[in-house]
Amino acid sequence: MDSSSLRERQKERRRARIYGVAIELFKQGGFQTTTATDIARASNVSRGTFFNYYPYKEAVLLDYGSEVMERLRDHAESRLAQGTPPLSVLYEIWDRLAEENARERDLFPPLAYEVMNPNPERARTAYQALPLSKVIELILRPLHQSGQMRTDLSLQRISNLIADTYLMVALRWSAYGTERPLQEEMRLALNLLLEGAVRRESLRT
């Protein structure tokens, strides 16, 4: 193994250690109260080294979100390959994401806010790290190709709207709470998106 390969592996291990320590600290003490200095000290690296790997604290959460999205995509591809109806797969993904968000309730608001960061570069980075709309697009593509979806909106736009709805409903639930479980709230929102809010006869009058 040459020296450059060894350095890359060392960097990967260091990044993985920093990431694991940071997530554990976020879960134990809360994201807001955990500082970059706390993470660096617990990871046995300097504060400057932390910022070499993560330019801002929220970037750690983007790695966490990317892992979640990758698991969801793998599940969706597997279930579609098994012949599971696309809408059933969509509900499965919806439920899995709700379970993850409910389990890690304190991590979701700062992750969601990063997607809406006023800094366009950071918002773009977050959007690319959390491609929920791409997972939804993958699931719905068979329905779109078979003509079972509306044609006045592109598949990409429909997928983006569904993903945006998830983001806002889950963010509200995480930040303010509700008497209903997140999974129930999310299923209500998805049903509303898929079925519509106005009765069909009302649309004709």
Side-chain angles (χ1 to χ4, degrees):
M1 181 181 297
D2 59 37
S3 59
S4 61
S5 297
L6 179 60
R7 283 195 298 272
E8 286 303 313
R9 291 187 61 181
Q10 290 173 337
K11 288 174 64 177
E12 290 173 4
R13 287 196 294 268
R14 187 177 296 117
R15 182 185 179 93
R17 184 172 73 250
I18 293 171
Y19 168 75
V21 168
I23 293 298
E24 191 60 33
L25 289 176
F26 293 158
K27 291 179 181 180
Q28 291 177 358
F31 176 82
Q32 299 298 339
T33 57
T34 301
T35 67
T37 301
D38 295 332
I39 298 169
R41 185 180 298 117
S43 303
N44 295 316
V45 299
S46 69
R47 195 168 184 272
T49 297
F50 170 81
F51 286 117
N52 284 338
Y53 289 91
Y54 293 103
Y56 41 91
K57 188 174 67 169
E58 289 80 2
V60 178
L61 292 180
L62 298 185
D63 276 3
Y64 159 72
S66 292
E67 289 184 356
V68 173
M69 291 298 111
E70 186 173 345
R71 291 198 301 269
L72 292 178
R73 186 180 186 90
D74 288 346
H75 179 81
E77 289 178 338
S78 174
R79 295 291 284 154
L80 290 171
Q82 294 168 7
T84 307
L87 288 182
S88 296
V89 177
L90 181 58
Y91 275 100
E92 289 177 10
I93 292 299
W94 211 246
D95 288 345
R96 281 172 172 248
L97 193 51
E99 290 168 5
E100 181 79 26
N101 289 168
R103 185 168 55 250
E104 307 298 348
R105 183 168 184 165
D106 292 339
L107 297 184
F108 185 76
L111 187 59
Y113 289 138
E114 194 61 23
V115 178
M116 299 178 286
N117 195 295
N119 181 321
E121 187 59 37
R122 283 182 56 165
R124 188 180 306 109
T125 298
Y127 180 79
Q128 292 172 346
L130 306 169
L132 178 58
S133 63
K134 298 297 183 184
V135 178
I136 295 171
E137 189 173 340
L138 167 74
I139 296 169
L140 296 180
R141 187 170 294 118
L143 296 180
H144 186 263
Q145 291 174 339
S146 63
Q148 299 180 62
M149 297 186 66
R150 57 189 297 173
T151 57
D152 58 327
L153 294 174
S154 69
L155 176 59
Q156 180 182 33
R157 191 172 183 187
I158 292 171
S159 300
N160 284 337
L161 287 170
I162 294 175
D164 289 347
T165 298
Y166 184 94
L167 178 69
M168 297 310 299
V169 174
L171 179 58
R172 186 181 67 242
W173 184 90
S174 296
Y176 305 114
T178 174
E179 60 186 22
R180 288 187 291 270
L182 178 57
Q183 185 173 338
E184 184 178 334
E185 286 286 309
M186 296 316 309
R187 280 198 163 235
L188 175 63
L190 184 56
N191 287 339
L192 190 63
L193 281 170
L194 296 177
E195 298 172 8
V198 179
R199 295 178 62 177
R200 293 299 180 267
E201 55 267 30
S202 297
L203 292 175
R204 293 192 292 269
T205 59

